[in-house]
Amino acid sequence: MESASQAAGENALLPNHIAVIMDGNGRWAECHGLPRFEGHIAGVESARSTIRYLNNKYHIKYLTLYGFSTENWNRPPDEVSGILHLFEEVIDEEVSEFHKEKVKLRHLGHLEELPQSLQQTISKALELTKNNTGLTLGFAFNYGGRTEILDAVRHIITEGIPSQNIDEELFNNHLYTAGMPDVDLLIRTGGEFRISNFLIWQSAYSEYYFTDVLWPDFNEKVIDKALLSYRQRQRRFGGL
Ligand code: FPP
């Protein structure tokens, strides 16, 4: 099949910012007769290969992955601590490679509620990669979209900004994603049709791509399909 980048030629019509809700790890594990956590481990491999493929093949500029929502704290404590651990391990193992590939890491969400060692690992990774000019890779971890909007409102009030100065640009600059463009394409795996409080401001005009594929099975073929589908849509942003 013709890939999206071949079809588009010179990477025209590719999304600038892709956001992904990586759903279905638990079900994938169940399907394979494995404990749920094995699904998360397999999910990490999918995340690694997705990042590399979108960066190296399509040269996508911004990619945001939803790793852990503020609601995920309600999962069993063992699963929560396993995911936190896994996230720390991934950053530790990957950060120097990301740095070599000029990837700039961003953390979206509340850092201070995470375990100390994870906070330090994230902070070090952000510091190391902050001047990189390649792919900006956002990890939404301990992230909630409504909380992000409320945090922006609080900052604007704390800064004493007069109401007549508040416009979309100013508001954008107070979100966790300040400096990042709106989401062009939001992909959700795992067969659910909802956005679960993810980048709700930034995806106001996004195209959506929902697939039944479970996150650990997400691969280059599915990415190609999603990008081809994106390319075939007509975006009007409210115009004609
Ligand atoms: C969604 O599947 C997965 C999560 C909420 C856990 C976090 C994601 C990963 C471990 C993948 C990659 C992570 C990193 C750190 C790069 P689910 O558990 O909600 O699946 P289910 O809907 O089938 O139960």
Side-chain angles (χ1 to χ4, degrees), residues 155-168:
H155 284 136
I156 289 168
I157 292 172
T158 309
E159 288 168 22
I161 296 171
S163 62
Q164 67 273 18
N165 291 1
I166 302 173
D167 57 14
E168 290 191 10

Side-chain angles (χ1 to χ4, degrees), residues 205-222:
Y205 286 102
S206 293
E207 296 297 322
Y208 292 88
Y209 187 83
F210 296 103
T211 170
D212 287 340
V213 170
L214 303 173
W215 177 249
D217 290 328
F218 193 72
N219 59 23
E220 297 183 357
K221 265 196 181 153
V222 190

Side-chain angles (χ1 to χ4, degrees), residues 13-231:
L13 299 174
L14 283 172
N16 197 25
H17 186 176
I18 300 179
V20 187
I21 302 177
M22 309 176 287
D23 196 14
N25 293 347
R27 278 165 287 161
W28 180 91
E30 266 168 40
C31 288
H32 288 77
L34 296 166
R36 274 184 67 81
F37 198 67
E38 292 296 322
H40 296 318
I41 294 174
V44 167
E45 289 317 308
S46 256
R48 282 191 226 265
S49 51
T50 297
I51 296 163
R52 301 252 135 72
Y53 189 60
L54 286 172
N55 191 20
N56 300 332
K57 163 119 196 250
Y58 287 106
H59 311 293
I60 296 298
K61 295 305 265 170
Y62 297 87
L63 172 64
T64 303
L65 301 177
Y66 203 3
F68 191 84
S69 72
T70 43
E71 291 71 38
N72 286 151
W73 292 106
N74 299 325
R75 293 189 177 204
D78 276 3
E79 182 168 346
V80 169
S81 66
I83 293 173
L84 298 176
H85 224 83
L86 207 53
F87 189 52
E88 190 171 337
E89 222 174 79
V90 174
I91 299 177
D92 247 347
E93 284 172 11
E94 296 292 323
V95 68
S96 52
E97 201 52 40
F98 282 147
H99 188 44
K100 266 194 228 153
E101 293 168 9
K102 299 192 169 37
V103 173
K104 175 179 179 164
L105 293 172
R106 293 277 301 255
H107 172 255
L108 314 179
H110 278 194
L111 202 56
E112 65 282 3
E113 287 147 14
L114 298 173
Q116 277 292 328
S117 63
L118 177 54
Q119 286 188 38
Q120 281 166 7
T121 304
I122 294 173
S123 301
K124 271 201 279 181
L126 301 185
E127 181 60 28
L128 178 71
T129 62
K130 70 177 182 200
N131 294 321
N132 287 345
T133 53
L135 168 74
T136 295
L137 177 59
F139 275 116
F141 207 86
N142 195 23
Y143 173 90
R146 289 186 175 180
T147 303
E148 178 182 30
I149 290 171
L150 290 176
D151 280 347
V153 171
R154 288 186 193 109
H155 284 136
I156 289 168
I157 292 172
T158 309
E159 288 168 22
I161 296 171
S163 62
Q164 67 273 18
N165 291 1
I166 302 173
D167 57 14
E168 290 191 10
E169 192 188 343
L170 182 130
F171 201 79
N172 271 324
N173 289 332
H174 285 81
L175 292 168
Y176 306 151
T177 49
M180 293 169 73
D182 275 358
V183 175
D184 298 301
L185 174 65
L186 192 145
I187 299 174
R188 182 176 188 138
T189 62
E192 310 284 1
F193 297 94
R194 51 178 177 256
I195 61 166
S196 303
N197 202 17
F198 186 41
L199 300 175
I200 48 183
W201 170 280
Q202 299 87 336
S203 61
Y205 286 102
S206 293
E207 296 297 322
Y208 292 88
Y209 187 83
F210 296 103
T211 170
D212 287 340
V213 170
L214 303 173
W215 177 249
D217 290 328
F218 193 72
N219 59 23
E220 297 183 357
K221 265 196 181 153
V222 190
I223 296 173
D224 289 345
K225 246 172 104 174
L227 290 176
L228 206 55
S229 160
Y230 173 83
R231 190 192 153 242

